[in-house]
């Protein structure tokens, strides 16, 4: 009686648990055939060995830390500014009428196209990287905050008016909680974009960071280092996304009824 | 199977030889098909433990009869219709239609769900026409059939409307037209008026009665509204819940259409209501 | 609510153009001061003149055309494979179970993280660029198709069973229309990702004509005109692609209440 539901659970999940092994298995098999040269395709265990080496000599950790620090500061600036801008425009519609168009125009240009202009203006150092990440983090948070604040259900606003909430009480007990699920979705998007962009920014030029490690690996024809980089960036991206999804799920469990 | 049915010539059927458009006559089939439900039981597995929903249900629907099944929510009445429709084949007992066991959905048995289930991306007309997509009928006949059934449910002028553009009651009429357009031998109605407002409901009950009289199709309708059951049914079957089982079968024995205020109707209403006031002890230890 | 509308009912609301005009004004006033060591000549007139030369000489068009070609080709490859795989995973129980989680995990790899790998695999030329663009378009297309196809409600499946819809009819009139909104969202995302990665590929993977190349050359030569033109074209094209899909959406999804 106890065993069979657990077994059923396992049977249901088994194929999904299998899928990474299938990928690795196919990868191994193709590598075994030696159809591709060793500088094109290497077997998974060699990638794993390189991973352990890079881990042991601290290089991988240092690079992840460097990229992480850039993401964190860029994201904090961009998301913070986005939160303020979104709130302000949501609460004072006149602001949106003045700045909405500017917003839309800037948003149309993909972050990558700003890079050359920013490099000309700020040089190729840390400033440029942090600005480009902040720029990318700004828009999802600003837009989702604006959306969340604007869509506070009308009937709740009526209740607040009825009880003569002051501005602070209105913010704390109505606007913020109502907008939170939407804001969190924006934050998740912003963080996953920041991670995507830090890798790109480091490809332009950097002396540290996971993107730098991969680019250096390419120039040295070290496919194993490049592969480790691909896997690590993927795993970090996955963890960041999952973490924020958990937060999102937690805070939207009391989701407000719409309208 | 469907093909051979279309070629069959119409035979004598009650109340509908006179003002019928030709298209309906072309595709019309012989309605002398009897539905027999014999000792049907059904249980769902919840957490690997069987939860009985229907227990030993037997009924017979004569061709052209209007049967209403009335019961509280959770008595398995919708499940019973799904079994008859062939959407669920996992049950004990026997369901025979025209002498043959039901083994899956068939165009002979129409079903109208409580939610109209029209496809929102198709117009009313296209939704109705979708019902015979799998039948080899020529386009002209199809067009005529759709037109006639739109007229039958009184939706003229809304052919090109999308479901979200019409009211709930109108959408449900379209769903009834979709179920009838194949000229099924039997129409199963799963609380079709459950989601419409009370005034529309009264009106649609009369519409349903008119359609039934006009088409002579067997109807089995599930409802939780006792008045509706008595007003429409030739026979009213009362179901008790947990597990769903038949507690009473009442032959109304009044001609249709009927007067809602008829004293005999009111008396039957009272009688059925009594069934629900002292129900059999409920077995909660599922 | 909208005071402006109440006060000036016949005037279009131009308040949004104020900041843009201000920026332009500051540039016109101060632009020549910024020229010097950092920029060649950033005054508004100079940028406009050299920009005009770029247009006249055909250099701009050559770069633009190359980028457009890449996005069309890359998107066609990646988008179609993505749609097919998403459909397959969404329809087939076993494919879903086996490869669904894998697809979700692989999506998390930052697209530009693949640049070094593709550089090694395909060299730094055209094929690496196309591969990057195709991959960028693949994931949003595959994931959105997969999610929308998989979520087909039982209610619709039952109607299809009840009326014995044949496979083709079921696809064309049930599955495809149901999945279409999600697929179109995927299309928007895929196009925008493909466009971003075209520019990225041109910046990172060797020099060949393209808007990324124009931007890069502008950076190396401190030519603001090239960069500004590049940014305008990149942004404008991205906007136009999005607007085109939105128009398509409005047309295809006209059965939805929100659009009528």
């Amino acid at each position: 009686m106890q065993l069979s539901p657990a077994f059923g659970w396992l049977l249901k999940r088994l194929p999904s648990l299998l899928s990474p092994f299938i990928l690795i298995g196919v990868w191994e098999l193709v590598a075994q055939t030696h159809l591709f040269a060793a500088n094109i395709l290497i077997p998974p265990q060699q990638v794993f060995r390189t991973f352990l080496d890079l881990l042991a000599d601290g290089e991988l950790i240092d690079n992840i830390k460097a990229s992480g620090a850039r993401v964190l500061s860029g994201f904090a600036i961009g998301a913070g500014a986005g939160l303020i801008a979104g709130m302000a425009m949501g609460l004072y519609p006149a602001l949106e009428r003045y700045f909405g168009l500017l917003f839309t125009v800037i948003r149309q240009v993909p972050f990558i196209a700003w890079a050359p202009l920013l490099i000309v203006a700020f040089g190729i150092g840390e400033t440029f990287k942090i600005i480009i990440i902040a720029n990318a983090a700004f828009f999802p948070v600003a837009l989702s905050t604006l959306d969340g604040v604007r869509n506070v259900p009308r009937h709740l606003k009526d209740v607040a008016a009825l009880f003569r909430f002051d501005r602070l009480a209105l913010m704390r007990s109505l606007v913020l909680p109502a907008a939170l699920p939407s804001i969190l979705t924006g934050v998740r998007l912003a963080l996953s974009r920041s991670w995507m962009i830090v890798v790109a920014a480091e490809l332009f030029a950097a002396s540290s960071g996971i993107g730098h490690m991969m680019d250096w690996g390419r120039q040295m024809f070290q496919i194993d280092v490049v592969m480790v980089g691909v896997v690590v960036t993927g795993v970090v991206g996955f963890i960041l996304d999952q973490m924020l999804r958990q937060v999102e799920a937690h805070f939207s469990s009391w989701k407000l009824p719409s309208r | 199977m469907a093909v051979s049915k279309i070629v069959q010539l119409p035979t004598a059927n009650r109340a509908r030889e006179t003002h019928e458009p030709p298209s309906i006559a072309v595709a019309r089939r012989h309605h002398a098909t009897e539905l027999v439900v014999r000792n049907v039981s059904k249980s769902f597995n919840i957490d690997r433990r069987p939860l009985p929903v229907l227990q030993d249900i037997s009924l017979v629907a004569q061709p052209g009869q209007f049967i209403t099944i009335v019961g509280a929510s959770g008595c398995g009445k919708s499940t019973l219709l799904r079994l008859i429709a062939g959407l669920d084949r996992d049950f004990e007992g026997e369901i025979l239609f025209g002498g043959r066991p039901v083994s899956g959905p068939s165009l002979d048995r129409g079903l109208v769900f409580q939610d109209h289930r029209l496809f929102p991306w198709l117009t009313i007309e296209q939704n109705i026409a979708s019902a015979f997509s799998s039948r080899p009928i020529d386009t002209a006949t199809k067009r005529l059939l759709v037109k006639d059934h739109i007229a039958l449910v009184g939706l003229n002028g809304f052919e090109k409307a999308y479901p979200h553009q019409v009211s709930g009651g109108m959408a449900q009429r379209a769903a009834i037209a979709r179920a009838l357009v194949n000229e099924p031998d039997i129409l199963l109605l799963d609380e079709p008026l459950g989601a419409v407002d009370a005034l529309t409901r009264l009106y649609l009950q009369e519409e349903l009665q008119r359609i039934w009289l006009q088409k002579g199709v067997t109807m089995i309708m599930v409802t939780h509204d006792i008045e509706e059951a008595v007003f429409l049914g030739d026979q009213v079957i009362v179901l008790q819940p947990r597990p769903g089982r038949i507690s009473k079968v009442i032959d109304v024995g009044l001609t249709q259409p009927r007067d809602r205020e008829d004293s005999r109707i009111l008396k039957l209403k009272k009688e059925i209501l009594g069934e629900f006031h002292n129900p059999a002890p409920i077995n909660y230890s599922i | 609510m909208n005071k402006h509308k109440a006060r000036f009912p016949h005037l279009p609301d131009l308040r949004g153009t104020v900041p843009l005009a201000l920026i332009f004004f500051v540039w016109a006033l101060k632009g020549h001061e910024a020229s010097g060591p950092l920029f060649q000549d950033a005054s508004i007139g100079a940028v406009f003149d050299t920009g005009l030369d770029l247009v006249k000489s055909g250099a701009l068009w050559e770069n633009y055309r190359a980028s457009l070609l890449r996005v069309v080709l890359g998107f066609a490859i990646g988008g179609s494979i993505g749609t097919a795989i998403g459909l397959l995973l969404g329809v087939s129980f076993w494919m879903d179970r086996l490869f669904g989680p894998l697809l979700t995990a692989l999506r998390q790899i930052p697209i530009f993280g693949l640049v070094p790998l593709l550089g090694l695999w395909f060299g730094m030329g055209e094929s690496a660029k196309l591969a990057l663009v195709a991959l960028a378009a693949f994931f949003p297309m595959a994931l959105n198709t997969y999610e929308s196809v998989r979520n087909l409600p039982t209610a619709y499946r039952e109607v299809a069973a009840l009326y014995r819809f044949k496979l083709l009819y079921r696809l064309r009139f049930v599955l495809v229309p149901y999945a279409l909104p999600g697929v179109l969202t995927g299309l928007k995302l895929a196009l925008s990702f493909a466009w971003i990665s075209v520019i990225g590929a041109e910046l990172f993977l060797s020099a060949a004509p393209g808007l990324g190349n124009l931007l890069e050359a502008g950076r190396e030569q401190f030519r603001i005109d090239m960069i500004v033109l590049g940014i305008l074209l990149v942004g404008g094209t991205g906007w136009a692609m999005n607007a085109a899909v939105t128009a398509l959406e409005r047309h295809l999804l006209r059965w939805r209440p929100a659009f009528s």
Side-chain angles (χ1 to χ4, degrees), chain B residues 82 85 87 105-107 111 113 115 117-122 129-131 133-134 162 164-165 178-179 182, chain C residues 152 154-156 158-166 169 172-175 177-178 254-258 260:
Chain B
R82 293 171 58 82
L87 283 175
S106 150
L107 299 181
L111 173 62
F113 299 93
D115 46 333
R117 296 206 187 174
L118 298 174
F119 294 114
W121 47 83
L122 298 182
S130 76
S133 69
S134 63
Y162 285 104
H164 79 264
Q165 294 169 322
R178 177 174 68 177
N182 275 311
Chain C
L152 182 69
T154 323
Y156 293 150
E158 280 180 0
V159 173
L162 201 62
Y163 294 108
R164 313 187 61 108
F165 288 177
K166 299 219 167 72
Y169 192 89
R172 171 145 182 246
F173 291 102
V174 183
L175 195 64
Y178 175 77
R254 59 190 179 282
W255 50 268
R256 283 213 303 203
S260 31

Side-chain angles (χ1 to χ4, degrees), chain B residues 206-241:
Chain B
E206 275 153 34
E207 286 287 287
L208 204 57
Q209 190 172 56
R210 176 183 61 78
I211 291 165
W212 172 67
L213 287 170
Q214 201 171 328
K215 303 219 62 161
V217 58
T218 317
M219 287 194 179
I220 299 185
M221 176 162 133
V222 143
T223 178
H224 56 245
D225 181 335
I226 296 174
E227 186 190 304
E228 186 170 285
V230 178
F231 178 63
L232 290 172
D234 289 331
Q235 186 177 66
V236 181
I237 295 176
V238 181
L239 277 194
Q240 295 293 347

Side-chain angles (χ1 to χ4, degrees), chain A:
Chain A
M1 213 49 196
Q2 276 297 356
L3 186 81
S4 60
F7 185 69
W9 182 89
L10 190 69
L11 207 65
K12 244 181 79 201
R13 298 284 187 296
L14 197 64
S16 355
L17 297 174
L18 272 177
S19 71
F21 294 100
I22 292 176
L23 177 77
I24 292 172
V26 171
W27 178 2
E28 174 72 43
L29 273 176
V30 176
Q32 293 276 329
T33 60
H34 297 289
L35 271 175
F36 300 96
N39 57 355
I40 296 290
L41 191 74
I42 47 164
Q45 73 262 29
Q46 199 179 325
V47 174
F48 188 64
R49 223 175 296 132
T50 309
F51 169 73
L52 290 181
D53 288 348
L54 288 170
L55 204 62
D57 66 13
E59 196 186 329
L60 188 63
I61 299 291
D62 287 346
N63 283 321
I64 292 178
K65 270 190 195 156
S67 296
R70 284 177 192 130
V71 166
L72 225 60
S73 41
F75 170 77
I77 296 169
L83 193 68
I84 294 168
M87 277 282 169
M89 291 203 294
L91 293 175
Y92 304 96
L95 276 179
E96 200 212 333
R97 303 213 165 259
Y98 278 106
F99 291 101
L101 186 64
L102 181 69
F103 245 56
T104 316
V105 168
I106 297 178
R107 198 163 59 92
Q108 297 311 318
V109 181
F111 71 91
I112 195 97
W114 289 118
L117 188 68
L118 291 172
I119 292 174
V120 167
F122 299 101
I124 205 138
E126 288 302 292
T127 322
F128 141 72
K129 295 190 185 75
I130 288 170
I131 289 179
I132 200 174
I133 294 169
N135 170 57
F138 176 80
F139 286 104
V141 176
L143 285 174
S144 60
T145 308
L146 178 61
D147 218 43
V149 172
R150 226 179 357 204
N151 292 332
V152 174
R154 172 124 220 124
H155 61 267
L156 292 184
K157 279 188 194 159
D158 291 345
V159 172
L162 206 61
F163 288 112
R164 297 176 164 279
F165 279 16
D166 59 25
R167 235 186 163 69
L168 196 74
L170 188 74
M171 281 296 292
R172 212 178 36 208
S173 47
L174 178 61
V175 176
L176 270 179
L180 196 63
S182 169
I183 294 174
L184 285 174
T185 308
V187 166
R188 176 167 59 82
L189 264 175
L191 193 63
S192 94
R193 272 205 207 168
S194 302
W195 182 245
M196 170 169 121
I197 282 151
V198 76
V199 176
E202 287 165 356
L203 288 180
F204 274 106
S207 52
S208 63
I210 197 91
H212 158 73
M213 185 188 93
M214 290 162 80
D215 198 43
W216 167 78
R218 178 186 65 80
Q219 286 170 30
M220 300 288 129
F221 292 101
Q222 287 176 320
I223 183 110
D224 51 340
V225 175
V226 175
M227 297 288 282
V228 168
V230 170
V231 174
V232 167
T233 48
V235 168
V236 172
F238 182 76
I239 291 172
L240 288 179
D241 187 69
Q242 285 302 315
M243 259 165 41
L244 280 169
R245 271 178 203 276
Q246 294 291 318
V247 177
E248 230 179 306
H250 177 77
F251 280 103
S252 53
S253 53
W254 43 267
K255 236 177 197 164
L256 292 155
S258 56
R259 247 155 289 277

Side-chain angles (χ1 to χ4, degrees), chain B residues 70-72 223-230 236-241 247-248 250 264-280:
Chain B
V70 63
T223 178
H224 56 245
D225 181 335
I226 296 174
E227 186 190 304
E228 186 170 285
V230 178
V236 181
I237 295 176
V238 181
L239 277 194
Q240 295 293 347
S247 75
K248 200 172 184 85
I250 295 164
R264 288 166 295 180
I265 295 239
L266 297 176
K267 197 173 142 254
L268 280 173
K269 257 174 78 180
K270 239 183 206 163
E271 187 184 333
I272 294 170
L273 203 59
E275 277 297 303
F276 291 102
H277 276 308
N278 20 318

